[in-house]
Amino acid sequence: MILTVTLNTALDLTYRVRSLRPHASHRVSEVIERPGGKGVNVARVLAALGHEVTVTGFAGGGTGRAVRERLSAVPRLTDALLPAAGATRRTIAVVDELSGDTTQLNEPGPQISPTEWGTFLDRYEELLPGASAVALCGSLPPGVPVGAYANLVRDARSHGVPVLLDTSGEPLRRAVAARPDIVKPNADELAELTGSHEPLRATQDARRRGAHAVVASLGPQGLLAVTPEGRWHAVPPDPEHGNPTGAGDSAVAGLLSGLVDQLPWPDRLTRAVALSAATVRAAAAGEFDHAAYEKLLARVSVTAT
């Protein structure tokens, strides 16, 4: 079982409009609702790949109930979310059909009480012994200590469970020092962490700060990985046009899937890039175009750097 932690779950809403214009009224041509938050998206992609997945974190209020109802319909996914007094947030993606651009609006999430946080820590400890890998993903909701991910990394390592970290800002800075097995920042998060905008230098610097391996997401330029086994750059065959929401989460799912399947690093990166590109083609986050994914697997380019 792969365990994904989403402390700040969300109900993802995708609106499609013909053309998004400031100060104008818009007619929405399509609305898609999906359970979301980075770790939830990761879990849904892993389940679609055939892995058994457990999701934990918080879900509260009417939006929390909607998230859990939708998760109950996902095969191979177990819901271990905990109740919160506050309401789970919503995220809204507005897709401009003419330009292909997406505008994202993210609510902050509910206030988590000390008692709720303590209950989560107990649940996390209960789940770890049955996990083959752990993904710690996304932002921290209000009330959760800024060093939360650092402690969760240490707990996973104490159980001998490999852990992938995908977050940003001060939570990332603190958790890297706890020595996660894989860190997956995007280019902006990597620059904020290291102060360098040169991808290879920044990725190497992030690894020196404590991460066992660092895989940097460079958008259309693919993934750059610095690991104990070597350095690789994996790129999709062509630029993808569509909704990029969730593409990074699909890359995380590919890396975790490759980890538990004990694939060599180039194959892990191939899977991650193919899933990410196939997600851009899908209608909503946490989904990917299966046919495109199968075709892309043979066309991703991975080179040693």
Side-chain angles (χ1 to χ4, degrees):
M1 174 269 288
I2 300 175
L3 176 63
T4 73
V5 174
T6 313
L7 299 175
N8 212 2
T9 54
L11 183 65
D12 286 341
L13 304 174
T14 301
Y15 295 156
R16 300 186 70 87
V17 300
R18 178 162 177 78
S19 177
L20 183 62
R21 304 180 309 280
H23 316 300
S25 177
H26 296 79
R27 187 176 298 277
V28 176
S29 61
E30 183 182 24
V31 180
I32 301 173
E33 289 189 0
R34 294 290 186 272
K38 293 181 74 65
V40 170
N41 292 336
V42 170
R44 290 172 55 220
V45 173
L46 285 168
L49 291 172
H51 294 280
E52 296 294 328
V53 189
T54 296
V55 175
T56 191
F58 296 104
T63 47
R65 286 192 297 274
V67 166
R68 302 188 78 169
E69 287 171 3
R70 286 159 174 78
L71 286 178
S72 68
V74 180
R76 294 178 293 276
L77 189 149
T78 299
D79 173 3
L81 293 168
L82 294 167
T88 291
R89 67 191 176 125
R90 295 162 298 178
T91 66
I92 300 172
V94 183
V95 179
D96 183 317
E97 294 175 339
L98 283 181
S99 69
D101 292 337
T102 300
T103 299
Q104 191 80 17
L105 303 173
N106 297 328
E107 295 179 357
Q111 180 78 26
I112 302 300
S113 71
T115 298
E116 290 168 341
W117 178 239
T119 301
F120 167 80
L121 291 176
D122 291 340
R123 175 65 60 87
Y124 183 67
E125 286 288 341
E126 292 170 0
L127 292 169
L128 277 176
S132 57
V134 176
L136 307 174
C137 300
S139 60
L140 300 179
V144 172
V146 70
Y149 281 140
N151 291 330
L152 297 182
V153 169
R154 294 187 189 100
D155 288 346
R157 289 179 58 83
S158 71
H159 285 80
V161 180
V163 56
L164 184 152
L165 176 69
D166 183 12
T167 188
S168 61
E170 189 61 22
L172 171 61
R173 188 181 307 278
R174 296 196 185 194
V176 163
R179 304 188 63 80
D181 294 86
I182 304 173
V183 174
K184 195 215 72 66
N186 62 33
D188 291 338
E189 293 161 351
L190 189 62
E192 183 182 7
L193 175 66
T194 66
S196 174
H197 292 271
E198 198 288 307
L200 181 57
R201 179 182 302 170
T203 305
Q204 291 173 317
D205 185 9
R207 184 165 179 258
R208 284 193 293 268
R209 292 167 185 257
H212 189 68
V214 178
V215 181
S217 177
L218 306 179
Q221 284 73 49
L223 299 175
L224 176 64
V226 176
T227 81
E229 289 77 31
R231 305 184 314 202
W232 292 274
H233 186 199
V235 296
D238 302 296
E240 295 292 338
H241 301 286
N243 181 2
T245 306
D249 304 331
S250 290
V252 168
L255 294 172
L256 276 174
S257 175
L259 171 66
V260 300
D261 287 345
Q262 299 183 329
L263 298 181
W265 268 105
D267 292 341
R268 297 187 204 181
L269 296 169
T270 295
R271 185 176 290 184
V273 169
L275 280 169
S276 181
T279 297
V280 175
R281 299 188 186 185
E287 298 180 355
F288 62 94
D289 185 317
H290 289 254
Y293 168 62
E294 294 296 336
K295 292 178 181 178
L296 285 162
L297 279 172
R299 301 181 62 209
V300 173
S301 171
V302 182
T303 56
T305 62

